[in-house]
Amino acid sequence: MLGTDFFKQLKVISPYSVRILMSAYDDKYLLKESINAVEIYRFLRKPIDLHNLEITLMSATREYEKSLRNLKKHKILIISSYKNFFYSIEHRLANYGFDIKTSTGNDDAIEAMEKFGHISVAVVDGDSRVKVTRLFESMQSVSPRTVKILLTSSRDHYQWDAYINRFKVFRILTNIWDGNSLEVSVFDAIKKYDQGIGNDLLSMGSD
């Protein structure tokens, strides 16, 4: 198995692992694929300088700890009318230190956004009694920066188009969704949220 293939699988299993690739190949495609596809932290050429490796590992450890601290700053709102849905999502995300909030319906979700503020990611159960379209409409004004993930068994691609184009839904996961894909989607959503905040700060600085 190529290093990049392994890292692609590792990114799904452990999204916040810091990835270091060591190789003797002088392959520009491999290097490009490593950086773009699997977000390699460092690329070290063989033969490996042990002192350089030690420094790289120490730096990677600091980067990992920084990432974990950053995760704890993020609020994740889970929206469903089914308690089992809450339990399954919370179980998948429990080890990452997120500040997890739950809501049982539209009004409850909007109230939570107004109360807690700065909800980074909303995970919405599209198969519950939540009125998804009305919820997304409300979120546009109440919490426009919140990155939205929808879990649904619906295969209505026209509805999906509306969710993506009109309400900027970030991910749509079809049931039966697997835990790894949900975790990766949440982590990617957090990155998108952080990028949005960073862009806002840059815009303010340029005014």
Side-chain angles (χ1 to χ4, degrees), residues 16-92:
Y16 266 75
S17 295
V18 180
R19 296 172 282 276
I20 299 170
L21 178 62
M22 297 181 289
S23 176
Y25 291 110
D26 188 15
D27 187 331
K28 292 182 180 178
Y29 173 78
L30 176 64
L31 180 58
K32 181 181 177 182
E33 184 76 358
S34 301
I35 295 171
N36 295 337
V38 293
E39 299 175 355
I40 293 297
Y41 177 68
R42 291 287 188 273
F43 185 91
L44 302 179
R45 294 189 182 279
K46 294 181 179 180
I48 300 298
D49 181 300
L50 292 180
H51 179 65
N52 187 32
L53 176 61
E54 182 180 357
I55 293 173
T56 302
L57 289 172
M58 291 173 62
S59 176
T61 300
R62 289 194 296 270
E63 185 68 22
Y64 177 73
E65 291 172 346
K66 178 182 175 183
S67 297
L68 291 184
R69 288 195 301 271
N70 183 53
L71 287 179
K72 294 179 181 179
K73 300 176 184 176
H74 288 279
K75 295 185 179 72
I76 310 296
L77 180 62
I78 306 170
I79 306 166
S80 176
S81 57
Y82 301 123
K83 289 185 178 180
N84 286 342
F85 185 85
F86 294 144
Y87 298 149
S88 61
I89 302 293
E90 286 180 307
H91 177 72
R92 294 298 312 190

Side-chain angles (χ1 to χ4, degrees), residues 113 118-119 138-148:
M113 291 179 189
H118 304 296
I119 299 294
S138 300
M139 288 177 66
Q140 293 281 76
S141 56
V142 174
S143 188
R145 288 195 183 96
T146 298
V147 182
K148 296 175 280 291

Side-chain angles (χ1 to χ4, degrees), residues 73-75 117-121 143-147 170 187-200:
K73 300 176 184 176
H74 288 279
K75 295 185 179 72
H118 304 296
I119 299 294
S120 304
V121 180
S143 188
R145 288 195 183 96
T146 298
V147 182
F170 179 65
F187 296 137
D188 286 345
I190 285 173
K191 291 178 184 178
K192 182 174 177 62
Y193 178 85
D194 285 340
Q195 289 170 356
I197 295 296
N199 291 337
D200 288 345

